[in-house]
Amino acid sequence: MIIERTLFAKIRPYFDSPEAIIITGMRRTGKTTLLRYIMESIKNKNKIFLDLENPLNQKYLEEKNYEKVSDNFKFLGLDVNKKAYVFLDEIQFVKSTPSVVKYLIDHYKIKFFLSGSASFYLKNLFSESLSGRKYIFELFPLSFREFLRLKGSKINLPQAQGKISEAQFYEINRYYDEFVLYGGFPGVVQKDTAGEKKMALEDIFSSYFQLEVKQLGDFRKTNVMRDLIFLLMERVGSKIDIQKLSRELGVARETIYDYIAFLEQTYFIKLIRPFSRNRDSEIRATPKFYLCDTGLLNQFAKVSGGALFENVVFLGLRQKGEINYYQRKNGPEIDFILNKKHAYEVKISPDETDLKRLAATASELKLKNATAISRRLSRIENDVTYGFLL
């Protein structure tokens, strides 16, 4: 089953712009499916699709004379003298792709749609080669609303903080339990049994480690990277203690910094920094981190239900803007602050005391509003919402 991803609506306004559209994100998030969906939605027949993981297709772009690339496109049936659309999947397999695309954009009326798995590779390679000639869109695992569509559910979720009856809560929560435990990778969602889902998650992790860490990262000590990943999973939602990780893994702090940067740039983890009105202070302060998918977290780490829920809430909020957290050595804290305006506190079952404390802290920080996000059905109607409504 193919569904329209939420990201499609954000890309659609740029179909006719001259800039290349680049879709990036972690492996298995559905980039190829989205690329093909976009291709089908464009009615112009003057278009081609090339999967660059195929060595034969790689040769079409591996020409020193870029005019020969346009000749190859003609051979494949593309009229480069008219408005044309070229879809290139897995572009990280051909290192010359940015230069080729730049040349063809400058000399022909070709609209490029590109996809690739590794942000680390794409952001470094494309920063200068396609400067001013690209729009980058990031595709993440399914949101809960997308998850429901892929499952074929007819549930029509209300907007955030909409009123939920007890019957509605338990019907939605039946799906949400599965979403929290097994995550949002489309290939996992489409599996029928728990055993199949677990096998799919193991395959996704293995693919990431083999193709991103070992091949793309080219680290000398892949065993250290592996151990770091598992240590981080066990501590999800915590501040990153570089010195402690360095000591436990027996490597220099600079190495830990490099490895963590790689994990973030390839979408495996995401760092969030403490809230501050001073941007410089915010950047220097110790970040917390969350995993890209709760299915992977649940499969490979022994974490509490609260930690799992906090991670899935983060994933729901991250697509809405900038995320920070607030924490003092002694005193109240706020799990997430969205766009420096909205405070969110994650609770399995919030009570009135939690809400008063959150509201007071948010007011002190001059935030626009404060909301508790509950895992269980709450009898409190105001200032409480649910993770599945994000």
Side-chain angles (χ1 to χ4, degrees):
M1 181 180 180
I2 296 178
I3 63 166
E4 181 178 302
R5 298 296 298 270
T6 302
L7 188 61
F8 176 81
K10 296 180 180 179
I11 297 175
R12 180 67 184 86
Y14 303 98
F15 277 11
D16 294 320
S17 71
E19 291 83 3
I21 300 296
I22 302 173
I23 301 171
T24 186
M26 193 176 170
R27 289 184 175 277
R28 312 290 184 86
T29 53
K31 296 182 299 299
T32 300
T33 302
L34 177 57
L35 207 62
R36 290 192 178 278
Y37 188 91
I38 293 171
M39 183 176 179
E40 291 301 317
S41 70
I42 294 175
K43 302 309 177 184
N44 190 322
K45 293 183 179 180
N46 192 27
K47 54 191 176 184
I48 57 173
F49 187 106
L50 292 175
D51 177 3
L52 297 184
E53 194 169 7
N54 184 331
L56 178 61
N57 289 339
Q58 292 171 13
K59 291 186 176 296
Y60 290 126
L61 273 75
E62 292 174 340
E63 301 280 2
K64 292 183 179 180
N65 183 344
Y66 294 163
E67 281 298 323
K68 289 186 177 181
V69 177
S70 69
D71 291 339
N72 290 337
F73 287 172
K74 293 175 187 176
F75 170 77
L76 294 170
L78 196 75
D79 187 343
V80 297
N81 295 313
K82 296 180 180 179
K83 181 65 176 180
Y85 298 85
V86 174
F87 295 80
L88 303 178
D89 193 24
E90 301 288 6
I91 55 177
Q92 67 270 17
F93 285 98
V94 180
K95 291 186 177 181
S96 61
T97 299
S99 300
V100 173
V101 170
K102 176 183 179 296
Y103 178 86
L104 294 175
I105 286 176
D106 290 346
H107 292 82
Y108 297 94
K109 296 180 180 179
I110 300 177
K111 174 70 174 185
F112 281 92
F113 291 84
L114 318 171
S115 80
S117 295
S119 169
F120 183 84
Y121 173 89
L122 291 175
K123 287 181 179 177
N124 283 282
L125 196 60
F126 278 82
S127 58
E128 295 182 5
S129 300
L130 280 173
S131 179
R133 296 175 177 83
K134 68 182 184 301
Y135 293 127
I136 296 179
F137 295 87
E138 297 173 310
L139 185 66
F140 300 105
L142 299 170
S143 68
F144 183 60
R145 292 175 188 272
E146 291 173 322
F147 170 90
L148 288 176
R149 292 204 298 272
L150 191 58
K151 297 288 285 187
S153 170
K154 301 298 182 183
I155 290 175
N156 185 20
L157 288 176
Q159 296 303 310
Q161 287 188 254
K163 291 186 178 181
I164 297 287
S165 70
E166 185 172 344
Q168 291 172 336
F169 175 87
Y170 285 111
E171 176 60 19
I172 296 169
N173 200 55
R174 182 167 64 88
Y175 286 97
Y176 195 59
D177 279 343
E178 179 184 337
F179 181 69
V180 172
L181 289 175
Y182 299 109
F185 283 103
V188 176
V189 174
Q190 292 176 306
K191 299 299 182 185
D192 294 324
T193 68
E196 290 176 315
K197 291 178 185 294
K198 290 178 180 179
M199 289 179 64
L201 285 165
E202 289 178 0
D203 184 55
I204 288 169
F205 179 77
S206 176
S207 174
Y208 171 79
F209 197 80
Q210 294 297 327
L211 299 176
E212 305 285 19
V213 175
K214 286 190 173 181
Q215 291 187 22
L216 182 65
D218 192 28
F219 297 110
R220 291 182 180 179
K221 298 180 179 180
T222 55
N223 61 316
V224 174
M225 174 62 91
R226 177 202 61 210
D227 293 345
L228 173 63
I229 288 172
F230 290 130
L231 279 175
L232 290 175
M233 284 184 177
E234 297 288 344
R235 301 168 186 179
V236 72
S238 302
K239 291 182 180 180
I240 291 184
D241 189 333
I242 297 294
Q243 188 169 350
K244 187 174 182 180
L245 289 170
S246 170
R247 190 165 56 247
E248 290 188 40
L249 294 170
V251 295
R253 285 181 296 176
E254 290 73 17
T255 300
I256 300 296
Y257 279 117
D258 289 343
Y259 284 12
I260 286 174
F262 178 86
L263 291 173
E264 182 173 35
Q265 290 169 325
T266 53
Y267 295 98
F268 196 80
I269 64 171
K270 178 64 178 177
L271 306 182
I272 67 169
R273 298 188 179 277
F275 172 81
S276 172
R277 299 293 184 188
N278 185 319
R279 188 64 177 172
D280 290 337
S281 298
E282 184 179 295
I283 291 172
R284 289 195 302 269
T286 305
K288 291 168 64 174
F289 71 96
Y290 293 91
L291 208 68
C292 62
D293 179 75
T294 53
L296 288 175
L297 180 59
N298 187 50
Q299 178 71 11
F300 293 100
K302 294 179 180 179
V303 297
S304 67
L308 205 61
F309 181 50
E310 185 176 327
N311 202 114
V312 81
V313 167
F314 165 75
L315 296 175
L317 289 173
R318 74 172 295 181
Q319 298 185 48
K320 299 178 182 294
E322 181 184 8
I323 306 289
N324 296 102
Y325 74 92
Y326 178 74
Q327 189 176 61
R328 291 189 299 211
K329 287 184 178 179
N330 296 302
E333 59 184 67
I334 297 175
D335 289 325
F336 302 116
I337 296 176
L338 176 64
N339 295 325
K340 300 192 181 299
K341 296 179 181 178
H342 311 284
Y344 293 94
E345 186 68 13
V346 182
K347 295 288 183 182
I348 295 297
S349 186
D351 56 31
E352 294 287 357
T353 303
D354 294 323
L355 291 175
K356 288 178 181 178
R357 186 186 304 113
L358 175 62
T361 308
S363 176
E364 179 185 336
L365 297 174
K366 296 181 171 55
L367 301 176
K368 186 176 180 180
N369 54 44
T371 305
I373 303 176
S374 179
R375 181 69 179 91
R376 295 175 182 159
L377 179 64
S378 177
R379 302 302 177 185
I380 306 171
E381 291 192 357
N382 295 324
D383 300 323
V384 173
T385 190
Y386 301 98
F388 52 67
L389 294 182
L390 297 176

